[in-house]
Amino acid sequence: MLSKKNIQLNENGELHHLLAIEGLPKRILERILDTAESFVGINEREMKVVPLLRGKSIFNVFFENSTRTRTTFEIAAKRLSADVVSLDVARSSTSKGESILDTIANLSAMHADMFVVRHSASGAPYLIAQNVAPHVHVVNAGDGRHEHPTQGLLDVFTIRKYKKQFNHLTVAIVGDILHSRVARSQIHALTTLGVPELRVIGPQTLLPAEIERLGVRVFTSMEEGLRGVDVVTMLRLQNERMNGALLPSASEYFSRYGLTPQKLALAKPDAIVLHPGPMNRGVEIDSAVADGAQSVILPQVTYGIAIRMAVMAILAGATR
Amino acid sequence: MSVQKHQTDAEPLFNALRDQMAASIAYDAKLIGVYSGGAWLAERLKAELDGEHELGFIDVAFYRDDLSMSGLKPTVRATHIPFSVEGAHLVIVDDVLFTGRSIRAAINTLFDYGRPASIRLAVLVDRGGRELPIAADFVGDALIVAADQMLALNRDETGKLFLTMEPWKK
């Protein structure tokens, strides 16, 4: 349990900032998922915009590059009629020596209502949330190895779409758990929503020490870990990990941990395959799986917009 | 703290509303129920009115003007309009007409699906207190309700409609 007050919630227990899945009660997660359900329909219309956030200014502040995530937040903000500005601060202010809080203070002076923040340092969005004006909201778009809450939410939303209920599922997360904020957010989301069996599968060097404490079963063998699962989440193997001593080679990694049709056959016949993208085909996932009938990787992208719309709409409606 | 809560049978009001509409709406007018009370009414109207009345349901939460005052409501239902509104004769069905703001939001919602030929408004209760120039075409009854009271439609397990009145809760 969190000893100090959860700064993500306001006095009424409503979501004010989205910084991490850890510590959020089930009712908050379910409210986000249910609201996103309504936005899925909006995204399928010819007219994809609703006027909900007219006049609100949302700043995407990416201290670490990610064109893809930034774009999905931009699309979500635009479909809510917010004004959205994306700053690639990785290439501008910070390279000139400006501190995070000075960057945020400058943008706040332009009357920002919400910041969507990505940073390579775990906890950076917390620092920002503690220093913005009470009416300003902060969304963590990925901080270091800590969390990527909207990715975790879109993952569980996708799982719920295909599997309806969480309370009978076995879910496996495969790959570089150690460095993955996606894995951490997904583990907290699935645990809170009541998934009874959660497994992580990966080489010992890419599994955090004491990961079992999060309530997961640990496997180093795909053949054992994938048996009978309903959902497989494949994590991206970041190329930079290859340079260190953690892994021998991409081809050896693929032969042991790459998801091939043969390995997927060990899971339930109706198991679904998730991947947060961008994929390394032939490293963590075989093209036959990525493009196969069990892959829900592109629906994840579609639902990601609805989830981000839901988060922004709920936050913008919360007052402090 | 005990809260004064009054219940009233809404079936006579529903019958009055249905009878007015029966005499006046187009054979193929499409009914748009506003969640949640209006959706129940629209389902009942479709069952009890002659004609080919297709049903759609809207939640106006994304079109409201009070996000910064009240926030996004806890449950937003998915808008579902299974037909083209382009060129259609539509009847918005809602339970209680008060300020007119949710009807404004409902009209804006519908225009994001196309350009209807006409939109009319059917409400079970008109409680006055309008803040916008909006009037209903069909009204079950006009009731005088104190400004501090919330009037809402409910449905019991048998499908019977009743109105409840209680103090507004923030």
Side-chain angles (χ1 to χ4, degrees), chain A residues 154-170:
Chain A
L154 78 88
D155 292 340
V156 295
F157 184 80
T158 306
I159 293 169
R160 193 174 80 163
K161 274 283 191 193
Y162 286 89
K163 298 294 173 190
K164 311 298 176 207
Q165 304 281 335
F166 294 105
N167 58 15
H168 64 279
L169 295 181
T170 302

Side-chain angles (χ1 to χ4, degrees), chain A residues 14 31 34-35 37-39 41-42 45-47 49-53 56 310 313-314 316-319, chain B residues 59-64 67-79 104 108-109 111-113:
Chain A
E14 300 166 326
R31 184 183 175 198
D34 293 344
T35 305
E37 203 70 59
S38 298
F39 281 119
I42 301 290
R45 310 194 306 204
E46 204 171 304
M47 173 66 181
V49 180
V50 294
L52 195 64
L53 297 196
K56 301 281 183 198
I314 290 169
T319 49
Chain B
D59 191 311
V60 302
F62 300 149
Y63 289 80
R64 292 197 63 95
L67 181 77
S68 51
M69 291 152 68
S70 320
L72 189 67
K73 66 186 176 105
T75 42
V76 181
R77 306 283 303 268
T79 291
R104 195 280 305 166
N108 284 11
T109 306
F111 272 80
D112 277 353
Y113 286 83

Side-chain angles (χ1 to χ4, degrees), chain B residues 57-140:
Chain B
F57 301 107
I58 59 175
D59 191 311
V60 302
F62 300 149
Y63 289 80
R64 292 197 63 95
D65 57 12
D66 54 2
L67 181 77
S68 51
M69 291 152 68
S70 320
L72 189 67
K73 66 186 176 105
T75 42
V76 181
R77 306 283 303 268
T79 291
H80 181 60
I81 305 177
F83 46 80
S84 169
V85 308
E86 193 75 28
H89 292 285
L90 305 178
V91 182
I92 294 174
V93 182
D94 204 356
D95 49 5
V96 179
L97 178 58
F98 185 24
T99 62
R101 288 178 191 270
S102 46
I103 300 305
R104 195 280 305 166
I107 294 169
N108 284 11
T109 306
L110 290 173
F111 272 80
D112 277 353
Y113 286 83
R115 181 182 185 276
S118 70
I119 301 181
R120 303 176 87 183
L121 175 60
V123 299
L124 192 67
V125 178
D126 181 348
R127 61 171 287 182
R130 218 77 79 242
E131 294 169 1
L132 296 173
I134 281 172
D137 300 279
F138 311 103
V139 180

